[in-house]
C-alpha cells in the first residue's frame, strides 16, 4: 500500500512540473523594454557638464545654456539638469551657440578618405603617426598605431568612433592641441576615459585606457603621451577614439591623415 501511494505521489509531482513548464515563455520571446527618452539627468559624483553632454550627444554649450550655467560650468552631485527644451533668451545671450553656417568644414584632400581602398584604412602606418591633417584651425594626427578593427557608422550607438587594436601599455597620443576637460571612468562603456577640448566646436575622446597620464585642466600638445592603451571597460586591448563636432559624433577617418 505504501509503495502504491509513493508511486502516485511521484506521478502527481511530475504532472505539476510539466504543467508549469508548458506555461513558461521561451527566452527568445522575452522582449527588451522599450527605450525611454530622458528629459533630466541627476548629477552624480564624478560627473562634469562635459561628460554629461558627451553621454547624451549634446553640445556642452547648449546644455549649459539650457540650465543657465555659465563658464567654467561648475555642477554638483544631486543637481537636476534639463536635457530637452528651449534655451531661455537670457541664457542664450550669456552662452551663445555658434551657428552651423560659421563652422569650418574639414579641408578635403586630393583623394578623400571615403574613396580610399579598404586595405589602406585598416592600419595606421608608423610613418603616418607624425603626419597631420588640417580641419579648420585644427591639425589632427593618429592617436595610436595599430590595426583598425571597428569603424564609425552614423546612427549606430555602438560605433560612434573607431577602434584601434594595440598592446597593453602602448602610448596613446593627443590627436591635436587642446585642454583635458574629463579624466575618469564614470561614463559607462568607456572604461578609463579622456576627453580633450580642441575648440568651441571640436572635442576628442580616448577610451578603454589602462592608465591616464594627464588630469582635468591639463594643456596638451598634439603627439603628447596622455595615456596607456588598455582594456578597461572592454574585452580586449584597444583604443576607442571619437571626434565630436558641436556635440555630434563624426567619422574620425575624415579628419585623420
Amino acid at each position: 500500500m505504501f509503495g502504491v501511494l509513493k508511486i502516485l505521489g511521484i506521478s502527481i509531482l511530475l504532472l505539476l512540473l510539466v504543467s508549469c513548464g508548458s506555461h513558461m515563455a521561451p527566452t527568445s520571446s522575452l522582449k527588451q523594454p522599450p527605450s525611454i527618452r530622458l528629459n533630466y539627468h541627476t548629477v552624480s559624483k564624478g560627473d562634469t557638464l562635459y561628460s554629461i553632454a558627451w553621454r547624451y550627444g549634446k553640445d556642452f554649450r547648449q546644455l549649459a545654456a539650457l540650465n543657465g550655467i555659465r563658464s567654467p560650468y561648475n555642477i554638483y552631485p544631486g543637481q537636476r539638469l534639463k536635457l530637452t527644451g528651449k534655451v531661455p533668451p537670457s541664457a542664450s545671450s550669456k552662452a551663445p551657440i555658434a551657428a552651423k553656417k560659421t563652422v569650418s568644414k574639414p579641408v578635403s584632400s586630393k583623394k578623400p578618405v571615403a574613396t580610399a581602398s579598404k586595405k589602406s584604412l585598416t592600419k595606421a602606418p608608423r610613418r603616418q603617426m607624425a603626419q597631420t591633417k588640417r580641419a579648420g584651425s585644427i591639425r589632427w594626427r593618429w592617436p595610436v598605431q595599430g590595426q583598425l578593427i571597428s569603424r564609425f557608422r552614423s546612427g549606430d550607438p555602438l560605433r560612434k568612433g573607431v577602434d584601434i587594436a594595440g598592446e597593453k601599455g602602448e602610448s596613446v597620443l593627443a590627436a591635436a592641441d587642446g585642454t583635458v576637460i574629463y579624466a575618469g571612468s564614470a561614463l559607462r562603456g568607456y572604461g578609463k576615459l579622456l576627453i580633450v577640448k580642441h575648440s568651441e566646436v571640436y572635442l576628442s575622446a580616448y577610451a578603454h585606457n589602462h592608465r591616464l597620464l594627464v588630469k582635468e585642466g591639463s594643456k596638451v600638445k598634439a603627439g603628447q603621451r596622455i595615456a596607456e592603451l588598455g582594456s578597461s571597460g572592454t574585452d580586449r586591448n584597444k583604443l576607442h577614439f571619437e571626434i565630436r563636432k558641436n556635440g555630434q559624433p563624426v567619422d574620425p577617418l575624415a579628419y585623420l591623415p
Side-chain angles (χ1 to χ4, degrees):
M1 182 67 179
F2 176 76
V4 173
L5 290 174
K6 185 177 180 181
I7 293 173
L8 182 59
I10 293 174
S11 300
I12 293 172
L13 180 60
L14 289 173
L15 286 172
L16 287 173
L17 288 173
V18 172
S19 176
C20 291
S22 64
H23 294 288
M24 293 176 64
T27 304
S28 60
S29 69
L30 298 177
K31 297 181 179 179
Q32 294 291 332
S35 59
I36 300 173
R37 183 177 180 180
L38 299 177
N39 296 318
Y40 295 90
H41 174 88
T42 302
V43 179
S44 300
K45 184 179 180 181
D47 281 346
T48 67
L49 185 86
Y50 295 104
S51 68
I52 294 170
W54 190 277
R55 177 179 296 174
Y56 296 103
K58 304 284 185 183
D59 187 321
F60 70 90
R61 297 164 298 170
Q62 183 181 30
L63 184 61
L66 187 62
N67 290 276
I69 302 173
R70 298 184 182 185
S71 178
Y73 311 123
N74 294 322
I75 57 176
Y76 55 87
Q79 184 176 0
R80 198 176 189 217
L81 300 182
K82 292 187 291 185
L83 300 175
T84 60
K86 294 184 178 180
V87 176
S90 58
S92 60
S93 62
K94 295 174 184 175
I97 299 173
K100 291 184 179 179
K101 292 182 180 179
T102 63
V103 177
S104 300
K105 295 182 178 180
V107 179
S108 59
S109 59
K110 294 182 180 180
K111 293 183 179 181
V113 173
T115 60
S117 65
K118 183 176 180 180
K119 183 177 180 181
S120 65
L121 295 179
T122 57
K123 192 174 183 179
R126 187 177 298 276
R127 62 184 178 80
Q128 285 189 350
M129 290 293 291
Q131 293 181 359
T132 61
K133 180 179 178 181
R134 181 180 290 278
S137 60
I138 301 173
R139 285 192 174 277
W140 297 94
R141 58 176 293 157
W142 284 86
V144 71
Q145 175 191 354
Q147 192 75 22
L148 193 65
I149 56 178
S150 179
R151 302 185 183 209
F152 172 86
R153 179 177 293 171
S154 180
D156 189 337
L158 299 178
R159 300 178 72 173
K160 294 180 180 179
V162 295
D163 289 350
I164 307 171
E167 298 296 329
K168 182 177 180 180
E170 186 176 347
S171 294
V172 174
L173 311 178
D177 296 351
T179 303
V180 179
I181 56 173
Y182 181 81
S185 55
L187 267 71
R188 185 177 179 183
Y190 284 92
K192 293 181 179 179
L193 170 70
L194 288 174
I195 301 178
V196 178
K197 178 183 176 183
H198 305 288
S199 69
E200 292 300 305
V201 175
Y202 289 105
L203 306 177
S204 64
Y206 312 75
H208 305 310
N209 298 290
H210 170 62
R211 189 160 68 102
L212 306 181
L213 304 179
V214 291
K215 300 179 180 179
E216 289 180 17
S218 300
K219 301 288 186 181
V220 297
K221 290 292 185 180
Q224 180 180 335
R225 189 168 182 254
I226 57 175
E228 293 179 357
L229 189 144
S231 59
S232 60
T234 187
D235 58 354
R236 65 174 296 176
N237 291 318
K238 65 181 179 181
L239 174 70
H240 176 74
F241 177 69
E242 294 185 23
I243 295 177
R244 299 276 178 106
K245 180 181 179 182
N246 290 322
Q248 296 301 308
V250 292
D251 187 357
L253 295 182
Y255 294 82
L256 298 174

